[in-house]
Amino acid sequence: MPQNPDTTAITAGRGDQSSLSPALWPSTVWEAESLDDATKRATGLRSSEFYSRFANPTVTQFEQAIAELEGAEDALAFGSGMGAVASLVLALCGQGSHIVAQNNIYGATLSFLLGPCARFGIETTLVDPTIPGAFAAAVIPGRTMLVIAETPSNPRLAITNLAELGAIKGPFTVVDSTLATPMGQRPLDFGIDIVLHSATKGIGGHNDALLGVIAGEQDLLNDVWSYSVMHGACASPYDAHNALRGIRTLAVRTERQNKTALTLARALESHPSVKAVFHPFLESHPQHDLARSQMRYGGTLVAAELHGGFNECNEFVKKLQLAHIATSFGGTETLVCHPATSTHAGLSTDALNAVGVTPGLLRFSVGLEDAGDLVNDVTNALQN
Ligand SMILES: *Cc1c(COP(=O)(O)O)cnc(C)c1O
């Protein structure tokens, strides 16, 4: 029977346990019944109850929850979002492989592709994801192994067309869906091969779990596991446990935080001190129709460009009472950051311009505070 995703957030990843709260398995190792049994455990694919780098029951439960939420056959967790990115790329690519990625992808992913991957002979072509057909045009048949997109993108919340990406044949298509969470969109429904999350953000949702996860077809994930078990970026059962707790409230958090984000975005948009505001569900967003057509929620991030530059941003954030200056997102507290000097620090002026990270740009991660209080806090700080 088809079920609303909000219900799946409550029912997913229960396994056959009768305890309503998931069991936390800190054990790194399990005892075998005999030498034959030990061989079985040591050689099994994603072997459970053997050694925690191979699999851990608490982590497995988190993976099952994500698989159900994404409508996937299976999921595979990692110690961080970057652990997921690095393991996936190195599992499927080798010397001479080619990757197509969007030019405004997460900073550490970009650095990984252009640094270590290039050093190992894995070449990356960067494309503008807002140009129709750009991903497909950059694919080199027989050489391109991965096409990697991120939607919405950070920090300007540009949208990549999921159906267009999903139609690409040949290479595996990957969508970093961290900003949307499984509540906001389901890339696999559009024919994407692998959806990837930094569960450190909205899925965990409480700033207390560092975790990454991919979901897709079981055979493909088994191939990734065969490499990642050696790479070793495995998820901690403590973090998986915290993220499972986060998943139970993901639907209500997402609904509330998205609603507040849109309220804040509209308030900012009508303020004279603000030059431009970016949120996928704002009518002024250049890809608003596309966002509405492929997303249930527009996300909890809002980007705003103030008139002026760093000094104006600095004066503004000093006056904020509720928003904390911090760079992550998806948690319960509202955060604000200045991307040019934090998440994107170290990029050249040209590179910053290419991804639209201007000196007047601020990024808000909207939390669970009352929307009216947040709007008051922001408008007071803008006025004084
Ligand atoms: C944070 C983030 C990552 C990296 O995740 P970590 O858990 O910090 O390693 C990857 N992609 C996006 C879009 C992110 O926001």
Side-chain angles (χ1 to χ4, degrees):
M1 198 170 62
Q3 181 172 284
N4 187 289
D6 291 16
T7 306
T8 306
I10 307 301
T11 59
R14 293 277 177 192
D16 52 11
Q17 288 184 5
S18 60
S19 68
L20 286 180
S21 166
L24 173 59
W25 289 83
S27 188
T28 54
V29 66
W30 281 260
E31 184 183 354
E33 282 162 23
S34 63
L35 290 184
D36 279 350
D37 180 40
T39 305
K40 224 181 275 166
R41 290 173 194 248
T43 53
L45 195 67
R46 298 182 71 176
S47 196
S48 64
E49 304 193 9
F50 166 59
Y51 184 65
S52 257
R53 181 156 42 75
F54 286 56
N56 172 286
T58 310
V59 174
T60 301
Q61 219 175 323
F62 166 73
E63 291 167 339
Q64 283 167 355
I66 293 296
E68 287 178 56
L69 286 167
E70 290 291 359
E73 265 179 26
D74 208 349
L76 185 59
F78 300 88
S80 66
M82 283 315 299
V85 170
S87 302
L88 178 65
V89 169
L90 296 180
L92 300 177
C93 296
Q95 193 174 27
S97 298
H98 177 247
I99 293 173
V100 179
Q102 67 185 57
N103 57 10
N104 52 354
I105 203 147
Y106 185 71
T109 302
L110 189 64
S111 302
F112 178 68
L113 294 175
L114 302 184
C117 289
R119 183 153 52 83
F120 298 142
I122 301 167
E123 190 197 336
T124 298
T125 301
L126 298 174
V127 300
D128 180 343
T130 61
I131 298 174
F135 286 99
V139 170
I140 306 169
R143 254 195 81 201
T144 307
M145 292 302 296
L146 293 171
V147 178
I148 310 176
E150 179 183 313
T151 184
S153 71
N154 171 45
R156 283 175 81 103
L157 309 166
I159 305 297
T160 300
N161 189 319
L162 290 174
E164 190 189 296
L165 200 70
I168 293 175
K169 297 283 170 264
F172 296 115
T173 49
V174 181
V175 167
D176 183 335
S177 193
T178 300
L179 271 70
T181 82
M183 290 293 136
Q185 70 191 11
R186 294 218 317 188
L188 302 185
D189 294 347
F190 294 82
I192 305 297
D193 295 308
I194 292 177
V195 58
L196 181 149
H197 291 279
S198 165
T200 313
K201 316 290 167 53
I203 292 175
H206 295 74
N207 300 316
D208 58 5
L210 192 68
L211 208 59
V213 67
I214 61 173
E217 282 186 7
Q218 192 161 42
D219 286 352
L220 181 54
L221 264 55
N222 285 344
D223 286 349
V224 175
W225 179 84
S226 301
Y227 168 77
S228 69
V229 70
M230 297 180 285
H231 190 97
C234 19
S236 141
Y238 296 95
D239 291 21
H241 194 266
N242 281 347
L244 269 165
R245 163 175 280 205
I247 285 171
R248 299 298 172 230
T249 58
L250 182 59
V252 283
R253 285 187 289 110
T254 307
E255 185 179 5
R256 167 70 175 271
Q257 282 168 274
N258 279 262
K259 197 167 159 228
T260 307
L262 199 53
T263 304
L264 179 68
R266 292 198 203 288
L268 284 164
E269 202 169 34
S270 62
H271 199 282
S273 305
V274 180
K275 198 159 130 193
V277 182
F278 305 91
H279 184 274
F281 276 16
L282 272 184
E283 289 70 17
S284 59
H285 191 285
Q287 298 159 294
H288 175 250
D289 291 345
L290 175 62
R292 291 268 180 189
S293 73
Q294 64 185 34
M295 302 180 78
R296 276 178 85 217
Y297 293 108
T300 60
L301 288 182
V302 177
E305 200 165 353
L306 303 189
H307 290 294
F310 176 81
N311 290 339
E312 284 72 13
C313 290
N314 198 23
E315 287 309 307
F316 165 74
V317 299
K318 272 193 219 161
K319 291 179 200 136
L320 289 170
Q321 302 281 316
L322 285 175
H324 303 262
I325 303 172
T327 53
S328 194
F329 62 88
T332 53
E333 303 84 7
T334 292
L335 312 179
V336 63
C337 76
H338 183 253
T341 56
S342 58
T343 53
H344 292 66
L347 262 68
S348 67
T349 310
D350 280 354
L352 288 175
N353 285 336
V355 288
V357 179
T358 54
L361 192 76
L362 288 169
R363 189 190 79 184
F364 295 90
S365 166
V366 174
L368 281 173
E369 302 88 347
D370 173 71
D373 288 342
L374 267 183
V375 169
N376 283 342
D377 190 31
V378 167
T379 42
N380 282 343
L382 285 170
Q383 243 104 39
N384 300 323

